[in-house]
C-alpha cells in the first residue's frame, strides 16, 4: 500500500512539473531525469518578416521624402515642410496609409477654426498659450467629426507665421492659400500615394 501511494504521489508530482513546463507529465515508471521537456521553437520567420517590413517602411519613408525634395528642386514648387515628417510616419507605420479623412478634416479645421483662434488669441495671450488654442480647437473639431490627424495642428501656427510676415491683407491671403496648396496638400498627396504603393510591396513580401 505504501509503495502504491508513493507511486501515486510521484505521478502527481511529475504531472505538476510537466504543467509548469507547459507539456504533459511523464507516464508512470519514468524517472524525471530521463524525461526531456520539449523546447518551444522560436518564431524566427515571424521576427524576420517584421524586421524586413520595418526596413521597407523606413526605406519607403526616406525615399518618399527624398523624392519630394527632388521634385521640389526640379519644379521650383515647395512640396515639403517639416511637419510632413510626422505625417509620413503615420502614412508608413501601418500596412497601408490610413483613410485620408483624418488628414482632410484636420487640414480644414486647422486652416479655419484653429487658424483664426491663433490670430485672435495672439493679441491677448502669450505666444505659447495662443498656439495652445489651436490645439484645443482642433481637438474639439476631431471629437465632433470622429477622426484624428495630429500633425495638422502645426498648420495653424505655420499659417499664422505666414500671415505675420505678409505686409498687407492681400499678401497674407495669397501666402496662406499658396502654402495650403504648396507644399501642404500637394506634398501630402504625393507622400500618401507613395505610402500606398509601398504598402502594396510590403503586402507582397508578407
Amino acid at each position: 500500500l505504501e509503495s502504491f501511494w508513493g507511486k501515486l504521489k510521484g505521478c502527481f508530482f511529475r504531472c505538476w512539473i510537466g504543467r509548469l513546463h507547459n507539456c504533459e507529465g511523464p507516464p508512470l515508471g519514468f524517472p524525471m531525469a530521463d524525461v526531456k521537456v520539449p523546447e518551444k521553437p522560436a518564431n524566427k520567420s515571424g521576427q524576420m518578416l517584421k524586421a524586413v517590413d520595418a526596413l521597407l517602411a523606413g526605406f519607403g519613408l526616406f525615399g518618399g521624402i527624398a523624392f519630394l525634395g527632388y521634385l521640389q528642386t526640379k519644379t521650383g514648387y515647395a512640396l515639403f515642410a517639416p511637419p510632413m515628417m510626422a505625417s509620413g510616419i503615420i502614412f508608413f507605420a501601418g500596412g497601408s496609409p490610413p483613410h485620408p479623412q483624418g488628414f482632410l478634416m484636420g487640414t480644414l479645421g486647422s486652416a479655419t477654426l484653429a487658424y483664426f483662434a491663433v490670430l485672435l488669441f495672439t493679441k491677448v495671450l502669450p505666444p505659447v498659450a495662443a498656439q495652445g488654442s489651436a490645439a484645443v480647437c482642433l481637438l474639439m473639431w476631431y471629437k465632433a467629426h470622429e477622426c484624428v490627424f495630429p500633425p495638422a495642428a502645426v498648420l495653424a501656427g505655420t499659417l499664422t507665421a505666414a500671415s505675420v510676415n505678409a505686409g498687407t491683407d492681400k499678401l497674407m491671403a495669397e501666402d496662406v492659400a499658396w502654402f495650403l496648396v504648396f507644399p501642404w496638400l500637394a506634398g501630402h498627396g504625393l507622400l500618401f500615394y507613395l505610402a500606398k504603393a509601398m504598402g502594396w510591396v510590403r503586402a507582397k513580401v508578407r
Side-chain angles (χ1 to χ4, degrees), residues 66-79:
F67 182 65
L68 293 181
Y70 172 78
L71 289 180
Q72 183 172 274
T73 303
K74 290 296 182 181
T75 62
Y77 292 101
L79 293 172

Side-chain angles (χ1 to χ4, degrees), residues 40-77:
K40 293 183 178 179
N43 190 7
K44 294 184 179 179
S45 60
Q47 294 176 355
M48 182 64 68
L49 284 176
K50 285 184 178 180
V52 171
D53 185 67
L55 286 174
L56 287 175
F59 176 77
L61 178 56
F62 175 78
I65 293 177
F67 182 65
L68 293 181
Y70 172 78
L71 289 180
Q72 183 172 274
T73 303
K74 290 296 182 181
T75 62
Y77 292 101

Side-chain angles (χ1 to χ4, degrees), residues 11 13 34-35 42 61 71 94 106 113 118 145 187:
C11 174
F13 177 75
D34 297 335
V35 177
L61 178 56
L71 289 180
L113 295 177
V118 175
H145 293 86

Side-chain angles (χ1 to χ4, degrees), residues 6-157:
K7 287 185 177 181
L8 187 60
K9 286 189 291 184
C11 174
F12 280 118
F13 177 75
R14 289 193 294 270
C15 290
W16 180 69
I17 293 295
R19 286 184 179 274
L20 289 180
H21 288 283
N22 197 22
C23 65
E24 296 181 0
L28 274 173
F30 280 80
M32 288 299 296
D34 297 335
V35 177
K36 294 183 179 180
V37 179
E39 298 181 358
K40 293 183 178 179
N43 190 7
K44 294 184 179 179
S45 60
Q47 294 176 355
M48 182 64 68
L49 284 176
K50 285 184 178 180
V52 171
D53 185 67
L55 286 174
L56 287 175
F59 176 77
L61 178 56
F62 175 78
I65 293 177
F67 182 65
L68 293 181
Y70 172 78
L71 289 180
Q72 183 172 274
T73 303
K74 290 296 182 181
T75 62
Y77 292 101
L79 293 172
F80 177 77
M84 292 172 63
M85 289 187 288
S87 303
I89 292 174
I90 294 175
F91 289 164
F92 284 87
S96 61
H99 194 279
Q101 178 187 0
F103 165 73
L104 294 175
M105 293 302 298
T107 298
L108 179 61
S110 190
T112 54
L113 295 177
Y115 170 56
F116 289 116
V118 175
L119 287 180
L120 176 64
F121 286 108
T122 298
K123 301 176 182 179
V124 295
L125 293 176
V128 175
Q131 292 285 340
S133 67
V136 172
C137 288
L138 202 55
L139 172 62
M140 294 188 293
W141 177 263
Y142 282 141
K143 295 285 286 184
H145 293 86
E146 298 182 348
C147 61
V148 63
F149 192 80
V154 185
L155 178 60

